[in-house]
Amino acid sequence: MLRRRRPFLLRAARISLLGFAVAACGAAASGGCFRPPVVFPLAEGLRGDVRRDSLELIEFELDDGTILGGVRESAGEGAPLVLHLMEADGGVGWDLDLGGRYARLADLGLSSMAFDYRGVGLSGGSRSSRQMLDDTRRVYRHAVASVGGDESRLIVRASSIGTTMLAALLAEGARPRAVVAFGPVESATLARRYSAQFWWGLVYWPAAPFLRRLVDVSTLEQLVAAPCPVLVVTDPEDCFLSASEVAGLEADAAARETLRCVIPEGMVSRAQVNAPGFLQHVSVVRNANGLRPYEERFLLDHGVDRAVVDARVQSLLAAAPAAARERIEADESALARLRVLALADRRIFPDAAAAAALQLRDDEIEAAKEWVSSRWFRAGGAMRNESFDPYAVGAPRSFEEYLAVFDLDDGNGGRWPVEDLLRARTLLKFPSAKNDVWVWSEANLLALSLALDGELDEAEAVAAVAREEAEGASDGSPVPWVELEERDGGFLMVKMVADGAIYGRTVLPVVFKTDLASGLALHRRGEGVLPLLRKAAWRP
């Protein structure tokens, strides 16, 4: 019985193989039958807060009636525009927090526009890799139109699969002001390299003849030949590029002044897969979530409009006291420092910026700009509420008070190095203000300084009394207080309780004080760390 069936099975196998070969050859000759599903669904369409007055939800209708949803963040009238082309699992709603990509780019003087792919997040329709390029073309034309039809006012910022769309646009003649590509991938090898990362990779080879490319251009070739400045962020261990491709890209960057290739340090993200090459790709792409120093330098060189920055600087000067304005305008170095601060935070407080520009040195301003930022005064809900008034709490209220904070001479012949202030600021990186209550009150700072000096019992007593007095004088609003706890090994657990939330941080006081550049002088004065903490907490 089996012997009789064997010829039949062999004939069926031969016919199947012949049919597969014919179909495969036909599919290969026609460029494939279908494209891989490269865009993933999102668990949430919108996350974060959209109450910033500079941020708006927008919609764009495609030719077939499909509505793409997105966001636009304005950096001010006349600012250049950054168009974001997302990665496969990215969405415009993932970065609506204050530290996200749109807000930081706006700080730098660049507006942003981003849309979800069809069938993803805020957009309607069904997910379709076939429509990606046509949709991207329409979005690009829409972005160009929004800057008055001038491509030189547009910057394209693409991640992963978005870089293939960018490559197609460049091949078709797009001429943006500059482009940034995070984790570029090649359409020709995308499916094979993705499948090779997982146990089912062998499935790729039977399916390979039937796959079509997303675009018929090389991403790397287009980036290297782009008629505008280009920043590429990649890694030799990224599974979507070979080490030789990355090496070639670095060689091209060395030979071309307007092409930069950056390999970020360390892993910055995690994924729910155990595939090192894929993990490295995810890590590279996640660099696009914020604004890294290397990208900031690139955009300052090739993206930021000087006129927008000058207008922001003039606005700060106009709001500063007349005497401070005159001093800054007469000092080129102070004016340059104010420019750095203006690009660090578009909502920086004018009095603080003016005082910092006058008091800090050129070599200090870059490191101190985050400390000067208005975000230091905000946390939690207050961070995203633009009606929040820092002057309603115990922060410095005038230019003179800010000047006193930046005057690092404490009257003892010593000078607090900025690196000490930043180290103390890191320790105090709890909420600075919550519900119009200044978290790091004088009593909380005193309790913390006593604990750092080893006087834990006295510190706990100060904290307890301060809490009782504050609660007794409170009108019912939440009162922040500090809790201190000694841990094994000399560690100190510092907990700040504010508005029902607890923010904890562990510090080793011996190491903290030893690392201070002023540590020895501090010890001789016998003042503990209270003066330093007061400065770091913006206490005049």
Side-chain angles (χ1 to χ4, degrees):
M1 186 76 170
L2 291 175
R3 288 180 181 177
R4 274 186 232 147
R5 293 184 58 184
R6 186 174 299 171
F8 170 77
L9 294 175
L10 288 175
R11 284 196 300 272
R14 291 192 188 106
I15 292 173
S16 298
L17 288 173
L18 180 61
F20 173 82
V22 171
C25 290
S30 63
C33 302
F34 63 91
R35 292 184 176 92
V38 294
V39 180
F40 303 147
L42 296 179
E44 299 175 71
L46 188 64
R47 305 196 314 179
D49 199 299
V50 294
R51 285 180 290 172
R52 296 199 299 273
D53 58 6
S54 58
L55 182 72
E56 62 175 327
L57 297 178
I58 57 177
E59 291 184 343
F60 175 64
E61 185 174 0
L62 298 171
D63 293 337
D64 62 0
T66 300
I67 300 297
L68 298 186
V71 295
R72 180 182 174 113
E73 175 122 18
S74 174
E77 186 176 354
L81 177 67
V82 179
L83 175 63
H84 300 260
L85 302 180
M86 294 295 181
E87 59 271 23
D89 62 345
V92 302
W94 285 65
D95 298 289
L96 300 185
D97 59 289
L98 196 59
R101 66 184 85 180
Y102 315 125
R104 281 297 297 121
L105 286 166
D107 284 340
L108 208 60
L110 300 171
S111 298
S112 283
M113 178 185 290
F115 289 97
D116 281 329
Y117 295 116
R118 65 166 66 211
V120 172
L122 302 177
S123 294
S126 301
R127 288 184 295 130
S128 171
S129 56
R130 290 179 178 271
Q131 299 294 328
M132 285 182 68
L133 182 53
D134 286 341
D135 293 353
T136 302
R137 290 187 183 112
R138 292 281 290 117
V139 166
Y140 184 81
R141 290 196 293 269
H142 176 69
V144 172
S146 71
V147 288
D150 184 0
E151 278 187 289
S152 68
R153 308 287 297 168
L154 184 66
I155 300 159
V156 182
R157 194 172 186 265
S159 305
S160 190
I161 199 68
T163 65
T164 65
M165 301 296 107
L166 167 61
L169 292 175
L170 292 173
E172 293 173 357
R175 297 294 184 268
R177 184 187 197 122
V179 300
V180 182
F182 290 90
V185 300
E186 290 283 15
S187 181
T189 57
L190 174 62
R192 172 171 58 82
R193 286 173 168 167
Y194 180 79
S195 63
Q197 290 292 302
F198 304 97
W199 64 268
W200 45 267
L202 291 177
V203 174
Y204 167 81
W205 297 107
F210 303 94
L211 295 179
R212 297 183 63 186
R213 299 182 183 184
L214 287 172
V215 295
D216 293 322
V217 297
S218 165
T219 301
L220 295 185
E221 288 179 4
Q222 292 301 318
L223 291 175
V224 170
C228 61
V230 176
L231 171 65
V232 180
V233 185
T234 186
D235 193 282
E237 297 182 8
D238 185 332
C239 67
F240 290 105
L241 291 182
S242 67
S244 61
E245 286 174 320
V246 175
L249 188 60
E250 290 183 294
D252 289 326
R256 178 185 164 190
E257 186 177 351
T258 56
L259 174 63
R260 300 185 191 177
C261 181
V262 173
I263 298 176
E265 296 181 0
M267 299 285 286
V268 297
S269 184
R270 297 180 179 178
Q272 295 179 344
V273 294
N274 186 22
F278 183 75
L279 269 177
Q280 195 61 34
H281 178 75
V282 172
S283 294
V284 170
V285 171
R286 290 297 178 259
N287 278 265
N289 287 354
L291 191 63
R292 312 293 174 180
Y294 54 79
E295 185 184 8
E296 181 175 319
R297 289 191 294 271
F298 174 81
L299 292 175
L300 284 172
D301 290 340
H302 303 294
V304 174
D305 193 318
R306 184 177 180 85
V308 174
V309 181
D310 288 343
R312 191 179 293 180
V313 170
Q314 290 305 313
S315 178
L316 287 175
L317 286 173
R325 180 168 61 251
E326 292 174 1
R327 288 176 60 189
I328 293 173
E329 289 177 338
D331 185 343
E332 287 295 328
S333 295
L335 196 59
R337 291 192 291 271
L338 186 65
R339 181 182 297 275
V340 173
L341 296 173
L343 289 171
D345 180 2
R346 67 191 187 279
R347 295 191 177 93
I348 194 169
F349 306 126
D351 286 356
L358 288 170
Q359 287 291 80
L360 299 180
R361 301 190 309 264
D362 290 346
D363 61 335
E364 296 173 328
I365 200 70
E366 189 68 30
K369 65 184 181 182
E370 184 182 354
W371 180 49
V372 183
S373 168
S374 66
R375 293 186 181 88
W376 174 225
F377 294 90
R378 308 179 183 199
M383 256 181 140
R384 304 183 181 98
N385 185 354
E386 292 181 357
S387 66
F388 172 74
D389 181 7
Y391 303 114
V393 297
R397 297 168 181 265
S398 67
F399 171 74
E400 288 73 20
E401 288 187 350
Y402 280 115
L403 208 60
V405 170
F406 288 113
D407 181 6
L408 304 182
D409 185 346
D410 294 307
N412 295 306
R415 187 180 190 280
W416 295 111
V418 170
E419 56 264 33
D420 284 7
L421 291 168
L422 296 177
R423 189 168 286 109
R425 180 205 183 286
T426 300
L427 177 62
L428 299 178
K429 209 170 183 180
F430 298 107
S432 298
K434 189 86 169 180
N435 290 345
D436 291 340
V437 177
W438 193 244
V439 170
W440 284 109
S441 64
E442 186 70 26
N444 283 336
L445 289 174
L446 176 58
L448 177 58
S449 67
L450 288 169
L452 290 171
D453 283 338
E455 304 293 338
L456 190 60
D457 291 340
E458 186 178 353
E460 290 176 340
V462 169
V465 171
R467 176 185 175 185
E468 291 173 1
E469 291 178 350
E471 288 178 335
S474 173
D475 58 359
S477 59
V479 177
W481 69 88
V482 66
E483 294 181 352
L484 304 161
E485 179 183 348
E486 193 172 17
R487 295 288 178 88
D488 293 339
F491 287 91
L492 177 69
M493 169 58 74
V494 183
K495 294 181 180 179
M496 176 59 71
V497 183
D499 196 20
I502 300 176
Y503 305 84
R505 178 151 300 161
T506 302
V507 60
L508 187 57
V510 174
V511 173
F512 174 78
K513 296 176 71 173
T514 301
D515 286 347
L516 296 176
S518 56
L520 294 178
L522 191 80
H523 180 70
R524 284 197 301 271
R525 279 188 237 139
E527 294 178 344
V529 295
L530 181 58
L532 174 61
L533 295 178
R534 293 181 80 250
K535 292 287 187 181
W538 287 95
R539 291 289 178 183

